[in-house]
Amino acid sequence: MSGHDYTPTLSNAPFAFTAENEALAQKHVAKYPPGRQQSAVMPLLDIAQRQIGGWLTEPAIRYIAGFLGMPEIRVWEVASFYTMYNLQPIGRHHVQVCTTTPCWLRGSGDIVQACEKHLGIKVGETTADGMFTLKEVECLGACVNAPMMQIGDEYYEDLTPETAVKVLKQLAAGETPKPGTQSGRHTSEPAGGATTLTSINRPAE
Ligand code: FES
């Protein structure tokens, strides 16, 4: 289960890119040949989502369709397919726990449980104070450091239930947890340290 909610929340708040975001959107559009501007739909949805505060409103979808000259339904198709787009308001911190096979084999079920218990919510819900939304997502491409979760734009890896909760506590306290591995190993090296290429042997001249 991805935890993705496909039911849009209706909002009539009008939407238009800020001048800065419009310039950014035009930069993405300019990457594609004339007539192929629709290829920029994904980054434009991302820009709109960040501008709104983490989710996409119906007026924003319509705006992007008009911006790119494409049917609204095509923009909806993209926005409702990918879990990176939220069609409902989310909390300030969007906690996405990967539960695909490599993370699952390394204990992602315990990570989900620890987050649910600590936050007092179930997957798909938002805390009453609006601080955290918890989601389950499919592989985020960091399997080598499984299990992991993404919060905002950062990855937290090599998690245990304890370190996952520690990250949540730091965020709740307004701190900035260190992203990446939480186990102390260096990036994706073996947990016990490097076992190959440990010295530099230059060929004799
Ligand atoms: S399976 Fe979790 S990051 Fe790939």
Side-chain angles (χ1 to χ4, degrees), residues 110-134:
D110 295 337
I111 305 303
V112 171
Q113 262 189 3
C115 291
E116 285 184 331
K117 188 169 171 214
H118 177 71
L119 298 173
I121 54 173
K122 293 286 176 198
V123 166
E125 294 179 348
T126 299
T127 53
D129 61 2
M131 279 288 270
F132 293 94
T133 296
L134 180 62

Side-chain angles (χ1 to χ4, degrees), residues 10 19 27 29 40 56 72 77 85-86 96 142 152 157 165 190 203:
L10 297 181
K27 265 192 195 171
V29 170
L56 288 163
E72 284 172 31
E77 284 168 356
Y85 303 118
N86 301 303
Q96 302 176 75
E157 306 160 345
V165 168

Side-chain angles (χ1 to χ4, degrees), residues 126-150:
T126 299
T127 53
D129 61 2
M131 279 288 270
F132 293 94
T133 296
L134 180 62
K135 298 263 182 78
E136 266 184 64
V137 294
E138 303 300 334
C139 181
L140 291 171
C143 325
V144 72
N145 288 49
M148 60 79 67
M149 63 183 175
Q150 178 178 358

Side-chain angles (χ1 to χ4, degrees), residues 9-53:
T9 293
L10 297 181
S11 163
N12 289 324
F15 179 86
F17 280 139
T18 61
E20 189 183 348
N21 281 345
E22 179 165 353
L24 189 56
Q26 293 293 7
K27 265 192 195 171
H28 284 289
V29 170
K31 291 177 187 169
Y32 300 98
R36 298 278 187 248
Q37 71 277 9
Q38 298 175 5
S39 300
V41 66
M42 290 190 70
L44 264 60
L45 284 169
D46 182 60
I47 293 168
Q49 180 163 273
R50 287 169 192 271
Q51 182 175 317
I52 294 166

Side-chain angles (χ1 to χ4, degrees), residues 98-104 138-143 146 148:
C98 170
T99 53
T100 301
T101 312
C103 281
W104 177 68
E138 303 300 334
C139 181
L140 291 171
C143 325
M148 60 79 67

